[in-house]
Amino acid sequence: VSSDGFILTNNHVVTGEARRVTIEQLDVTVALADKREMRADVVGVDPATDLAVLKIGAKNLPTIPWGDSARLKVAEWVLAVGNPYQLSQTVTLGIVSAVGRTNLGVSTYEDFIQTDAAINPGNSGGALVNARGELVGINTVIFSQSGGYQGIGFAVSSNLARRVVNDLQQYQEVRRGTMGPDQYVPLSTRMAEELGAPDTKGALVYRMYRTSPAYQNGMRPGDVVVTFNGTPVEDPGHLSRLVSDAPIGSTASVTVIREGQRVALKIPIGRVPRN
């Protein structure tokens, strides 16, 4: 992703089965398309999105331009590039099956592009590219009952990946905002009717801590969060992404539905503690 040797891939590609190891203990080699092999330094990893940034000592490398994953449309053509079964530089063709997939249970912070381009073991960390040759995703997950291709693959969106890259390059960690360690759940139709919400969009506040900034600034269990800084909230996963991307130290404007009435709140955005 830069001509001076910064490389974006998946965290699980870099760490493998390793657990509780430091970045300095990881021994990573990168094989380039021109057959060169180079030792890589691990700049940083982000298990929450399953992304990692490496750095190799090379100059004037070819790079891929960033695309805007927010502009992707369902049924748009995409190419998946990777190394399935050690077959390097493999390219497969498909379409975008869905965008904004969350709640897959594969990472903490999810914003996946679903595609039917063939993605197999070994494709992880490879590029998902649009018809203009722009990077729109990082191939990360396959859904398979057989272990192989079944037409359902997932890529981390490029807009999420770009933010992770910038933070890892600058801070060696990803800095995320939080309103507190509270729990939010999706709304069912029955819940929405009982709580006076117009539909099932939003995030239901299920459990709160009295020490959390959200609680101390007026949010209560049973509230339904429907907007965050003016953006309508689709579900808890969407709210998590909005809060995470909010500037640390800022004050967020949050609208909740409480007993059928809309209530405006101002909640300070703190920083998620480093693990």
Side-chain angles (χ1 to χ4, degrees), residues 16 53 76 119 185 194 204 242 253 275:
V53 174
E76 183 175 339
I119 296 177
V185 297
E194 291 177 351
L204 173 62
L242 292 172
S253 298
N275 292 332

Side-chain angles (χ1 to χ4, degrees), residues 41-137:
D41 293 324
V42 181
V43 175
V45 298
D46 183 41
T49 54
D50 194 15
L51 294 175
V53 174
L54 311 176
K55 177 69 167 65
I56 58 174
K59 301 293 182 182
N60 302 316
L61 295 171
T63 62
I64 187 169
W66 288 97
D68 182 359
S69 55
R71 298 176 60 188
L72 274 179
K73 304 295 184 184
V74 172
E76 183 175 339
W77 290 103
V78 285
L79 301 169
V81 186
N83 186 42
Y85 305 110
Q86 303 303 310
L87 299 171
S88 61
Q89 305 296 316
T90 294
V91 180
T92 53
L93 175 67
I95 62 169
V96 174
S97 303
V99 295
R101 288 289 196 206
T102 60
N103 303 315
L104 300 182
V106 297
S107 58
T108 305
Y109 187 70
E110 298 180 343
D111 182 14
F112 287 112
I113 300 160
Q114 183 181 330
T115 178
D116 71 347
I119 296 177
N120 287 288
N123 269 107
S124 292
L128 189 72
V129 182
N130 65 16
R132 293 178 293 278
E134 298 168 335
L135 179 68
V136 293

